Amino acid sequence: MGVCCTHPHQKLENPITPELIKEDIKYDQFALKIQKHYKGYKARKLYHKMRIKTEESPVVHHPKPEIAQKLSQTPTDYALTVQKALYKLGPFRYNDYINSDDPQKRSTNFQFKEEDKKLPFLEPHRLIDGAIYIGQWKNGMKWGKGKQIWPDGSVYEGFWQNNKACGIGRLIHQNGDVYIGDWLDDKCHGFGVYTHSDGTIYKGNWVEDKQEGDGIEEYPDGTIYKGQFLNSMKHGYGECFYSNKNYYKGEFQYNFIHGQGKFVWSDGKEYEGAWENNQMHGYGEFKWPDGRSYKGDYKHDLKDGEGEFIIDENTKYKGSWKNGKQHGDGLLVVKEIARPGIWCEGIRIQWKDKF
């Protein structure tokens, strides 16, 4: 508590004279004046940092009124999902992508040049499609650094060329999906990272808005695919690490295991050979942890055709199969003694020798 509360009747010695009070008031007014001028200086400095001086920004760069209408303020009422993404990601840092030595941060489609730095950074403008753009302009077109907000709440911030996203940029979709990477003509093109709202993440190459070329896709359950893509599907050569500890390495076709490849199950079983639409189909070899093995034909995950099944070091069957079972002519070898016979749905029905 103060002196006035603890000692209400005590008189103060050496009271401040009116002349001193006037001097203090003059000093305070002078200090406020200095602060006002300083704040004005800071504001002007910030303005010139964000917007090029008028003599360096000819009006010719400004958009025509029929193309874009100037607004008095920047909208901030983003969709909730977009707000969460912005809070998590933080501001888009242009300098991280200008002349970067990191190939994943360097655009192959647009380079921000010295002359681009001199382009005017204008107030928010509403475009004819309802989107709002805040950024640089060149000859009436979006060019250089800029942010665009669509009516559905989606937000793009990054580099522009000829009125289109071009170079490194970040797009936050209204549903919370985020793409950060290279752009060309308003499309993901080059290296980029796409994070889905469900947690799926793709890191790799893009061609005209499609995952194409080499990439890595990680799924919420822990499954990871590393390999080639075509038209946003696993296509070509790749390997897949499944969440249940299974593993596959080989060929894919339109998201299916298709072609030649090796699949290893978490319990130790493995198959190497031909695949079709995620099924063992064609010639291949299957091995069990206990030493059993099969070499031969498969159809739709089942032994079908000709094949040899080694049961142990002393016993094996070589012959015809159908639907996963011995069927037709075959040869049973037990301790180097071979006997031909006929099987039907896995059951021997007749010996063909004279024993």
Side-chain angles (χ1 to χ4, degrees):
M1 303 294 286
V3 174
C4 294
C5 296
T6 54
H7 304 283
H9 303 294
Q10 183 177 353
K11 292 183 179 180
L12 296 175
E13 297 180 359
N14 299 322
I16 300 174
T17 63
E19 290 76 11
L20 289 176
I21 293 175
K22 289 180 181 179
E23 288 298 325
D24 286 344
I25 292 174
K26 288 181 180 179
Y27 176 79
D28 291 342
Q29 290 175 342
F30 180 70
L32 289 172
K33 190 175 182 180
I34 292 176
Q35 290 178 359
K36 182 179 179 180
H37 283 294
Y38 179 72
K39 288 180 180 178
Y41 164 76
K42 292 287 287 185
R44 289 191 297 273
K45 186 177 181 181
L46 179 62
Y47 177 85
H48 290 302
K49 182 180 180 181
M50 297 301 295
R51 296 172 174 81
I52 307 303
K53 295 179 181 179
T54 304
E55 59 268 20
E56 297 178 350
S57 307
V59 178
V60 67
H61 290 313
H62 293 208
K64 296 180 179 179
E66 60 268 25
I67 300 298
Q69 293 290 329
K70 185 168 67 175
L71 300 177
S72 59
Q73 60 183 8
T74 304
T76 56
D77 52 341
Y78 301 114
L80 182 59
T81 50
V82 175
Q83 291 183 38
K84 290 181 178 179
L86 285 169
Y87 178 78
K88 182 179 180 180
L89 295 170
F92 183 80
R93 303 184 184 279
Y94 289 95
N95 290 337
D96 290 349
Y97 304 100
I98 297 176
N99 300 324
S100 174
D101 293 329
D102 186 347
Q104 296 184 358
K105 290 185 176 181
R106 186 171 61 246
S107 174
T108 59
N109 304 313
F110 175 73
Q111 298 300 319
F112 192 67
K113 302 177 182 178
E114 284 297 320
E115 54 264 33
D116 295 326
K117 297 178 181 179
K118 299 179 181 180
L119 295 173
F121 191 103
L122 301 182
E123 302 86 346
H125 279 71
R126 188 183 300 277
L127 310 178
I128 56 177
D129 62 357
I132 297 172
Y133 175 77
I134 312 103
Q136 291 180 292
W137 295 80
K138 181 179 181 180
N139 297 328
M141 296 184 295
K142 294 175 288 185
W143 191 299
K145 303 176 184 179
K147 176 194 292 186
Q148 183 158 307
I149 306 167
W150 280 266
D152 70 350
S154 301
V155 179
Y156 169 86
E157 187 165 9
F159 294 93
W160 299 78
Q161 188 180 52
N162 295 322
N163 266 341
K164 296 179 180 181
C166 187
I168 302 298
R170 180 179 73 188
L171 175 64
I172 304 176
H173 293 270
Q174 188 273 339
N175 65 355
D177 289 2
V178 179
Y179 171 81
I180 304 175
D182 214 353
W183 293 78
L184 178 65
D185 294 334
D186 274 342
K187 295 179 180 179
C188 306
H189 194 90
F191 181 86
V193 179
Y194 195 106
T195 304
H196 297 261
S197 57
D198 67 359
T200 303
I201 301 175
Y202 171 79
K203 302 175 184 178
N205 199 59
W206 294 76
V207 175
E208 296 186 349
D209 268 348
K210 303 292 185 181
Q211 297 166 213
E212 191 161 314
D214 294 329
I216 301 173
E217 195 156 48
E218 303 174 8
Y219 301 90
D221 67 352
T223 298
I224 300 175
Y225 170 79
K226 299 179 180 180
Q228 297 174 315
F229 287 81
L230 178 67
N231 200 28
S232 292
M233 292 182 284
K234 294 183 283 290
H235 189 90
Y237 192 82
E239 55 183 339
C240 196
F241 304 82
Y242 297 90
S243 59
N244 59 5
K245 307 303 180 183
N246 292 345
Y247 171 77
Y248 172 79
K249 186 175 184 179
E251 295 178 299
F252 287 81
Q253 187 179 85
Y254 305 119
N255 273 342
F256 289 97
I257 295 175
H258 192 102
Q260 294 293 314
K262 182 177 181 179
F263 198 103
V264 180
W265 284 262
S266 60
D267 62 2
K269 297 192 299 288
E270 60 181 62
Y271 168 82
E272 185 170 9
W275 294 81
E276 184 177 289
N277 297 333
N278 285 346
Q279 295 181 327
M280 297 176 287
H281 194 86
Y283 183 84
E285 181 176 358
F286 199 107
K287 296 180 180 179
W288 284 262
D290 60 8
R292 291 177 297 157
S293 66
Y294 171 82
K295 293 180 182 180
D297 299 322
Y298 276 89
K299 285 185 180 179
H300 306 299
D301 270 347
L302 298 174
K303 305 177 191 71
D304 200 302
E306 297 297 313
E308 180 182 67
F309 181 47
I310 298 177
I311 301 172
D312 55 42
E313 60 182 7
N314 297 315
T315 309
K316 66 178 180 180
Y317 168 85
K318 186 176 181 180
S320 298
W321 298 77
K322 186 175 182 180
N323 294 327
K325 298 178 180 180
Q326 297 102 319
H327 190 86
D329 292 341
L331 186 69
L332 182 64
V333 180
V334 179
K335 293 184 179 180
E336 299 183 355
I337 298 176
R339 296 194 67 184
I342 299 175
W343 277 257
C344 181
E345 295 184 355
I347 300 175
R348 179 184 52 79
I349 59 174
Q350 178 184 341
W351 290 116
K352 297 178 70 175
D353 56 16
K354 297 182 179 180
F355 285 104

